[in-house]
């Protein structure tokens, strides 16, 4: 009996907490309306707990009757009140249902008490966001809503339905026959990766997602801070894609300084990733390249701070027009994202082709070529070989070369999709980082 009493008290208290929030938004000035929120929601919570207690004590018919009766009362309340006030919102009625379910959960113990309290807090927070959400929505333009819907279609509708299958040359017998008809030995190219639809489309979703997240953050913390934070986080996912997203934006502004600074931060995040890639495989080599990594991180930090703090004269005029900045702005463009996804597809195809041709005999050459698409796989390979088949110094030399090639490849991608000012500043920055990285040989 003591346990049942505790369950009832918890249900009443949680219902009262929700009722208190509902009571605070009531517009009536009468005393009865002022306390009906707490009383009504407390009773609904208790009713849900009682229904659950009857159910666990093998009285399911009573549980069904109480649940059905509660739903009928809630529906009747909604129908009568909406007819009287012409207000067809049903937030309060949904709150009644959730409060009843919270009482049921408390009475059956199917959810831990901590989780029940957490759910109640989430409900209260959501209910209390009415004023903030209305204020936010009043500032959202039609073009912004269309952009959010478009991104949802890209990421939640198209992406899950694309096949996650890697197609090789052997999967296209017609194309293979054509090559054989040209007296080309395609036997060793049967395993050549040509296309993975889901991974290719994921690149599009990731680029547009970086744009959307950066735009949302810019509305709350400002344009420069928003893209700076988003770029650093995006660098851990893909510094290449993040850099290209910023390069595309450089065509839409006269000030590319903060975009260059954000791009350097994205690449700095990729430097931190090296610790996670190399550490578990070869700690000794990680210690050997630690000075080089420190130089790269410090130099990119200094350069990013320099560009983030640098202002241009157009900032003042842009700030004066800040009120209309988001009026009809398009958050992202699908065409540049598709173009870059196709570019990555071609680059990966060419690098895989070169890896097959050169093989182990051209280790450095094949590694440099592969770095056009990324260096993660190369780093893992180097970590496994350093100190075994190759020396630490040679592994470091290869790492510096592939990292330099990767940064220069990003600069080339920026040239294709970004403004000339952005590309030049980013190129000069990465050349400085590359030049300083060679100082790591002093510590070997």
């Amino acid at each position: 009996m003591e346990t049942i009493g505790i369950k009832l008290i918890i249900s009443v208290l949680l219902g009262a907490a929700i009722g208190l929030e509902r009571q605070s938004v009531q517009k009536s000035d009468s005393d009865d309306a002022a306390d009906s929120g707490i009383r009504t929601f407390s009773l609904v919570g208790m009713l849900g707990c009682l229904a659950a207690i009857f159910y666990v004590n093998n009285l399911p018919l009573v549980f069904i009757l109480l649940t059905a009766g509660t739903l009928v009362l809630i529906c009747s309340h909604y129908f009568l009140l909406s007819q009287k006030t012409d207000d067809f919102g049903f937030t309060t009625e949904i709150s009644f249902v959730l409060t009843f379910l919270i009482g049921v959960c408390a009475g059956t113990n199917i959810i831990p008490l901590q989780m029940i309290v957490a759910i109640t807090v989430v409900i209260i927070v959501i209910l209390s966001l009415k004023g903030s959400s209305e204020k936010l929505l009043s500032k959202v333009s039609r073009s912004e809503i269309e952009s959010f819907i478009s991104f949802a279609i890209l990421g939640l509708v198209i992406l899950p339905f694309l096949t996650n299958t890697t197609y090789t040359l052997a999967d296209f017998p017609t194309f293979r026959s054509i090559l054989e008809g040209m007296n080309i030995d395609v036997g060793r190219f049967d395993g050549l990766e040509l296309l993975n639809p889901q991974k290719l489309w994921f690149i599009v979703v990731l680029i547009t997602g970086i744009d959307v997240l950066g735009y949302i953050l810019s509305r709350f913390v400002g344009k420069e801070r928003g893209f700076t934070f988003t770029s650093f986080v995006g660098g851990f996912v893909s510094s290449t894609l993040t850099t290209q997203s910023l390069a595309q934006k450089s065509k839409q502004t006269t000030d590319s300084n903060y975009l260059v600074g954000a791009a350097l931060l994205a690449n700095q995040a990729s430097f931190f990733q090296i610790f996670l890639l190399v550490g578990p495989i070869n700690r000794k080599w990680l210690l050997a390249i630690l000075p080089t990594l420190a130089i790269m991180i410090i130099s990119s930090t200094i350069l990013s701070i320099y560009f983030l703090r640098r202002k241009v004269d157009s900032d003042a005029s842009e700030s004066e027009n800040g009120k209309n900045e988001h009026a009809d702005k398009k958050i992202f463009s699908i065409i540049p994202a598709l173009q870059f996804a196709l570019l990555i597809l071609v680059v990966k195809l060419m690098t895989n082709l070169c890896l097959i041709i050169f093989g182990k005999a051209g280790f450095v050459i094949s590694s440099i070529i592969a770095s056009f698409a990324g260096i993660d796989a190369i780093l893992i390979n180097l970590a496994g070989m350093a100190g075994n088949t190759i020396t630490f110094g040679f592994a470091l030399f290869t790492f510096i070369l592939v990292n330099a090639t990767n940064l220069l490849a990003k600069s080339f991608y920026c040239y294709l999709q970004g403004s000339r000012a952005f590309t030049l500043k980013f190129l000069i920055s990465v050349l400085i980082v590359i030049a300083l990285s060679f100082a790591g040989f002093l510590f070997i």
Side-chain angles (χ1 to χ4, degrees):
M1 295 298 292
E2 183 179 354
T3 302
I4 293 177
I6 293 175
K7 292 179 179 179
L8 288 171
I9 292 173
I10 292 173
S11 302
V12 169
L13 291 177
L14 295 179
I18 298 176
L20 180 62
E21 193 286 328
R22 289 286 83 196
Q23 172 184 310
S24 66
V25 298
Q26 290 198 33
K27 298 180 181 180
S28 175
D29 295 329
S30 65
D31 294 337
D32 182 64
D35 64 354
S36 61
I38 295 179
R39 289 186 303 161
T40 306
F41 279 89
S42 299
L43 291 174
V44 172
M46 177 185 288
L47 191 60
C49 185
L50 287 173
I53 291 172
F54 283 118
Y55 179 80
V56 297
N57 286 277
N58 299 320
L59 292 171
L61 182 60
V62 179
F63 170 79
I64 294 174
L65 290 175
L66 289 176
T67 303
T70 302
L71 292 176
V72 169
L73 287 174
I74 293 173
C75 293
S76 300
H77 175 270
Y78 172 75
F79 177 77
L80 294 174
L81 190 63
S82 61
Q83 292 294 323
K84 180 179 178 180
T85 61
D86 290 332
D87 183 2
F88 296 95
F90 54 92
T91 304
T92 300
E93 285 69 27
I94 293 295
S95 303
F96 279 135
V97 174
L98 291 173
T99 304
F100 183 82
L101 291 175
I102 287 173
V104 171
C105 293
T108 56
N109 291 326
I110 59 176
I111 298 178
L113 178 59
Q114 297 88 340
M115 183 63 68
I116 296 175
V117 174
I119 293 174
T120 304
V121 172
V122 171
I123 293 173
I124 294 173
V125 170
I126 293 175
L127 291 174
S128 65
L129 289 177
K130 179 181 179 181
S132 301
S133 60
E134 290 178 348
K135 183 178 180 181
L136 178 62
L137 289 174
S138 64
K139 298 180 180 180
V140 177
S141 67
R142 179 66 182 176
S143 62
E144 291 171 333
I145 294 176
E146 292 175 351
S147 296
F148 290 134
I149 294 175
S150 299
F151 177 70
I153 294 174
L154 295 178
L156 302 178
V157 178
I158 299 177
L159 181 64
F161 289 96
L162 293 176
T163 176
N164 188 21
T165 303
T166 300
Y167 295 97
T168 64
L169 184 61
D171 295 317
F172 297 90
T174 303
F175 183 60
R176 192 176 187 276
S177 300
I178 294 175
L179 294 178
E180 289 178 344
M182 299 171 62
N183 296 322
I184 297 177
D185 182 15
V186 296
R188 59 175 177 163
F189 300 114
D190 281 341
L192 179 64
E193 296 183 3
L194 298 179
L195 174 67
N196 185 309
Q198 190 175 91
K199 289 183 179 180
L200 184 64
W201 192 256
F202 179 74
I203 295 175
V204 177
V205 174
L206 190 58
I207 291 179
T208 54
I210 292 170
D211 291 344
V212 171
L213 179 58
Y215 182 81
I216 293 174
L217 289 176
S218 70
R219 296 295 301 268
F220 290 97
V221 299
K223 181 173 63 175
E224 297 182 11
R225 291 182 179 179
F227 282 110
T228 299
F229 177 77
T230 307
S231 300
F232 184 73
V233 175
F236 285 97
V237 180
S238 175
S239 58
T240 302
L241 300 184
T242 304
T243 303
Q244 294 319 296
S245 174
L246 295 167
Q248 294 168 15
K249 292 195 178 311
S250 66
K251 290 186 174 181
Q252 305 170 5
T253 179
T254 56
D255 179 15
S256 61
N257 289 323
Y258 76 95
L259 294 175
V260 174
L264 291 171
L265 283 180
N267 287 275
Q268 183 192 82
S270 68
F271 299 155
F272 282 108
Q273 271 188 316
I274 297 175
F275 290 93
L276 303 177
L277 292 172
V278 176
I281 302 174
N282 194 330
R283 293 183 180 180
K284 292 183 179 180
W285 188 56
L286 178 61
L287 291 176
I289 66 173
L290 185 59
T292 303
L293 291 176
I295 292 172
M296 292 164 56
I297 292 173
I298 293 172
S299 59
S300 61
T301 300
I302 294 174
L303 288 168
S304 64
I305 292 175
Y306 168 77
F307 283 109
L308 290 173
R309 289 187 173 181
R310 192 178 178 188
K311 303 294 181 182
V312 296
D313 295 337
S314 60
D315 287 346
S317 60
E318 287 183 2
S319 60
E320 292 177 359
N321 298 327
K323 295 182 180 180
N324 299 324
E325 181 182 4
H326 302 287
D328 294 310
K329 185 174 181 179
K330 199 173 183 180
I331 297 178
F332 66 87
S333 177
I334 187 66
I335 300 301
L338 287 171
Q339 291 174 343
F340 186 69
L342 292 175
L343 177 62
I344 288 294
L345 176 64
V346 173
V347 170
K348 285 188 174 182
L349 179 61
M350 296 303 297
T351 53
N352 289 332
L353 184 63
C354 291
L355 286 173
I356 293 175
I357 295 174
F358 291 111
K360 294 182 178 179
F363 174 74
V364 176
I365 297 177
S366 61
S367 296
I368 292 175
I369 294 173
S371 65
F372 278 89
I375 65 172
D376 290 354
I378 303 172
L379 278 172
I380 294 174
N381 188 32
L382 284 173
M385 299 175 66
N388 298 315
T389 57
I390 59 176
T391 64
F392 281 176
F394 184 73
L396 173 61
F397 176 72
T398 305
F399 162 65
I400 293 176
L401 285 182
V402 298
N403 180 69
T405 306
N406 181 257
L407 290 175
L408 293 174
K410 292 174 183 175
S411 301
F412 175 70
Y413 300 151
C414 292
Y415 173 78
L416 295 178
Q417 293 198 308
S419 67
R420 296 297 173 263
F422 176 90
T423 303
L424 180 60
K425 294 173 184 176
F426 182 77
L427 175 61
I428 294 174
S429 300
V430 298
L431 286 176
I432 294 174
V433 174
I434 292 170
L436 293 175
S437 66
F438 281 95
F441 282 110
L442 300 176
F443 301 91
I444 290 292

